[in-house]
Amino acid sequence: MLNERIDTERCLFSPIFLFTLCVNPFPDTVRYPLSAGIALQPMRKLLIVVVFTLGCCIANAQYRTNAQYRTNAQYRTNAQHLVMTNEDSLNAGTSKNKTVISGYGSAFYQRDFNQHLSSATLERAVLFVGHQFNQKIAFFSELEVENAKVENGSTNSNGAEISMEQAYLKFNLNASQYIVAGLFVPRIGILNENHLPVNFNGVERPMVETFIIPATWRELGVGFYGKANRLPLNYSFALLNGLNSATLDHGDGIRGARAEGSLATANNLAVTASLQYNVGDFKLQVSGYMSGTVGLSPRGADSLGLNSGAFGTPLYLGEADVQYSKNGFSAKALGSYISYPGAADINTAYAKNIADGMYGAYAEVAYNWLYAKKTAAQFITFVRGELLDMNASTPAPPKAIYDGTEKQSHIIAGIGYLPLPNVVIKADVRLMHTGAQNPDLVINPSPSALPYKQQNQFLNIGIGYSF
């Protein structure tokens, strides 16, 4: 079915997609229109390679390259190095205070030209509180309010919520390695660890890192982070609570399955690992994620015909990205693929319409026109192209119904002005194209409903800050 629905538009992204599939160790075979079946390694082989690599990194002697000296655990472009918040200073061990307060936020206006509607919202306001107990142990927390107003203490129809974005303890083992425990953001993709509004282009976060990689993605668990001593290499490994398949929603990727620290199912678990390599002005990363998705008791899972256990009914995600920054010019590209072999069983058990394959990729170029003036201010223009399909592969009917609207392409072009490294004013235009609507999914339409349009345009204007 996947083979039949790929068109010329996707073929243009084939190098990124193939690269993503090559690092995706999940399905044994993936069909692709321009080649024969591509044999992929199973997850256990990837984990063996990652564990072996981490072991080699830990065993390295004390040696640092120039690139490694300017690279910490969270990668930053040259412009981003100027942004040093209180949170960063505590994390780097340079804070003069034991307890620090920091934060960030953003607000935006959006015009939907198809619907002839405009909206404005305080998208998020985040307060960070951290405390340094001693040189070895620190506490980090982020409390987030989305869309400004929460009524009756619960999420309302406009997506408003109050939530803990992070709350974890950090234990420094040595100058190169540390452990985190609690609610934290694992290293998957570019945006997840680097989500301050002053650190990414565009008013909206990239669509691929919203629906395929659901940033900001946080879970409860324990993570081990480090950097090699002989190579400009960072690595991480984390054990987390698993996803909950009962809360998956059609058209939302895997976002709905996250627990985000709230009553997570812990009968099932997840593991994630990443490798970052810095060479010259480039930074490359690969990361993988595997999660059991059924947290029920064995009796409850059997009654629904599902496999339970730590990694029962598993979901796999693979991701690769590259970033470049030099002399005011920057570029980045990312590709990701999700495989969910048990989607058919989940659809039967919970009356869902979930795909068993999803993918996304994007590429972006940007330039800071004030770079030559050697000023802290920045004026950035950028363009980004994105391609994603949350119905790339679906179980055979009647287990699932294909939804063409979930195959999307986006082109975003805009500007960002930073009078200071910690304040940004943004504006952009997003052009969206989707596949055709499936009439089988249109149930009881309103008599006044307009015909579905596969093209749409959005105008976005926003502000952001961090301190």
Side-chain angles (χ1 to χ4, degrees), residues 1 17 60 80 86 153 177 185 202 222 310 313 335 340 368 396 423:
M1 183 176 294
F17 186 68
N60 285 327
Q80 291 164 357
N86 288 332
Q177 297 168 333
V185 173
V222 179
T313 317
Y340 196 16
N368 173 20
V423 175

Side-chain angles (χ1 to χ4, degrees), residues 44-45 66-67 99 118 126 161-162 171 176 183 191 194 290 302 327 384 390 402 413 425 457:
R44 61 181 179 273
K45 293 186 178 179
N66 291 334
T99 302
S118 299
V126 179
E161 67 175 7
I162 299 175
F171 302 89
S176 301
L183 180 67
L191 190 68
N194 201 25
M290 179 179 71
D302 289 344
N327 298 334
R384 181 170 67 244
M390 289 179 282
Y402 179 72
I425 303 168
Q457 304 83 39

Side-chain angles (χ1 to χ4, degrees), residues 204-258:
E204 301 172 294
R205 295 175 173 181
M207 298 294 130
V208 172
E209 293 200 85
T210 299
F211 293 105
I212 305 301
I213 302 174
T216 305
W217 187 359
R218 65 268 193 187
E219 300 288 6
L220 287 165
V222 179
F224 174 69
Y225 293 78
K227 53 187 176 181
N229 293 318
R230 289 186 176 275
L231 295 170
L233 181 73
N234 299 325
Y235 50 88
S236 71
F237 179 85
L239 178 67
L240 308 165
N241 64 265
L243 299 174
N244 184 1
S245 56
T247 55
L248 284 167
D249 291 314
H250 172 73
D252 202 30
I254 61 174
R255 294 175 61 83
R258 301 170 300 168

Side-chain angles (χ1 to χ4, degrees), residues 298-418:
R299 181 185 294 270
D302 289 344
S303 69
L304 294 175
L306 299 175
N307 294 322
S308 60
F311 297 101
T313 317
L315 178 144
Y316 310 97
L317 183 151
E319 172 270 331
D321 64 76
V322 59
Q323 298 180 70
Y324 173 82
S325 178
K326 185 174 183 179
N327 298 334
F329 176 81
S330 63
K332 64 180 70 172
L334 177 146
S336 182
Y337 188 84
I338 295 174
S339 175
Y340 196 16
D345 294 333
I346 297 300
N347 291 342
T348 300
Y350 296 115
K352 302 283 187 179
N353 187 25
I354 306 301
D356 56 23
M358 312 177 200
Y359 71 84
Y362 72 83
E364 175 186 295
V365 293
Y367 184 72
N368 173 20
W369 296 90
L370 299 181
Y371 176 82
K373 295 184 178 296
K374 305 299 182 182
T375 175
Q378 304 169 58
F379 183 79
I380 299 170
T381 56
F382 77 96
V383 61
R384 181 170 67 244
E386 303 194 48
L387 184 65
L388 67 148
D389 191 348
M390 289 179 282
N391 264 201
S393 174
T394 57
K399 299 290 187 179
I401 303 174
Y402 179 72
D403 184 357
T405 65
E406 300 307 310
K407 182 174 185 178
Q408 304 175 4
S409 61
H410 302 262
I411 297 176
I412 305 96
I415 60 173
Y417 175 61
L418 292 84

Side-chain angles (χ1 to χ4, degrees), residues 129 139-143 164-169 181-185 218-221:
V129 178
F139 170 74
F140 295 80
S141 70
E142 291 184 13
L143 177 64
M164 291 302 300
E165 190 162 279
Q166 297 194 83
Y168 64 89
L169 290 169
L183 180 67
F184 65 96
V185 173
R218 65 268 193 187
E219 300 288 6
L220 287 165

